Amino acid sequence: MSGGGTETPVGCEATPGGGDKKKDSLGTAGSPAHLIIKDLGEIHSRLLDHRPVIQGETRYFVKEFEEKRGLREMRVLENLKNMIHETNEHTLPKCREIMQDNLNQVLQRLQAASDSVCRLQQREQEQKKRESTSRG
């Protein structure tokens, strides 16, 4: 597992004939040392390898989220889409039409008020001219 030496894989022997004649220090595949290492590997994977547990929890969370919350979110989005469509198709044109009508009325009233103010100013100027000519 760790260390920098040369290790031969568990259950394997060094190449026979000619070269290094060392045998695996752990013995054959059915030896007690091999079984202990196998058990240690299983213990390690159950105690220290959390990937399967995390993957299972993640799958469960996603499933629950999609079932419970996902449908609600889809309904909310569908309602928003319908509301936006209704606003664009019906409410905005009505508002625009009402605003145009009201603005036209306001403009007409402002024009009438402006005309009235102009007439009042003309009358005042005429009255001032008469007063100035009658004094002089």
Side-chain angles (χ1 to χ4, degrees):
M1 289 192 171
S2 63
T6 58
E7 296 180 7
T8 53
V10 176
C12 296
E13 295 181 4
T15 56
D20 196 1
K21 290 191 176 183
K22 281 189 196 174
K23 242 186 155 185
D24 189 3
S25 62
L26 299 177
T28 61
S31 70
H34 182 71
L35 293 175
I36 291 172
I37 290 176
K38 183 178 177 184
D39 288 343
L40 282 174
E42 288 179 16
I43 291 170
H44 174 268
S45 68
R46 287 186 182 201
L47 292 178
L48 301 175
D49 188 10
H50 302 295
R51 282 178 287 171
V53 175
I54 291 171
Q55 288 171 351
E57 288 295 320
T58 304
R59 276 190 235 109
Y60 175 76
F61 175 78
V62 168
K63 179 182 163 199
E64 288 294 312
F65 184 82
E66 287 175 350
E67 285 178 1
K68 293 180 180 176
R69 181 122 190 215
L71 296 177
R72 182 173 56 208
E73 296 297 322
M74 289 297 291
R75 284 193 298 269
V76 167
L77 289 174
E78 186 68 28
N79 289 341
L80 284 172
K81 183 183 117 186
N82 291 338
M83 195 176 350
I84 289 170
H85 178 72
E86 168 105 12
T87 301
N88 285 337
E89 296 296 319
H90 302 291
T91 307
L92 285 177
K94 284 181 185 178
C95 288
R96 188 178 299 125
E97 183 180 321
I98 291 170
M99 187 177 66
Q100 280 293 339
D101 291 344
N102 289 337
L103 282 176
N104 286 336
Q105 289 176 3
V106 168
L107 286 173
Q108 288 173 358
R109 289 179 183 175
L110 282 173
Q111 188 64 41
S114 178
D115 292 344
S116 295
V117 167
C118 285
R119 276 185 263 129
L120 284 173
Q121 285 177 341
Q122 286 176 353
R123 286 182 193 164
E124 284 181 13
Q125 287 175 356
E126 289 173 6
Q127 192 175 14
K128 284 181 183 178
K129 282 183 183 178
R130 286 186 213 147
E131 288 176 6
S132 66
T133 54
S134 62
R135 289 186 189 171

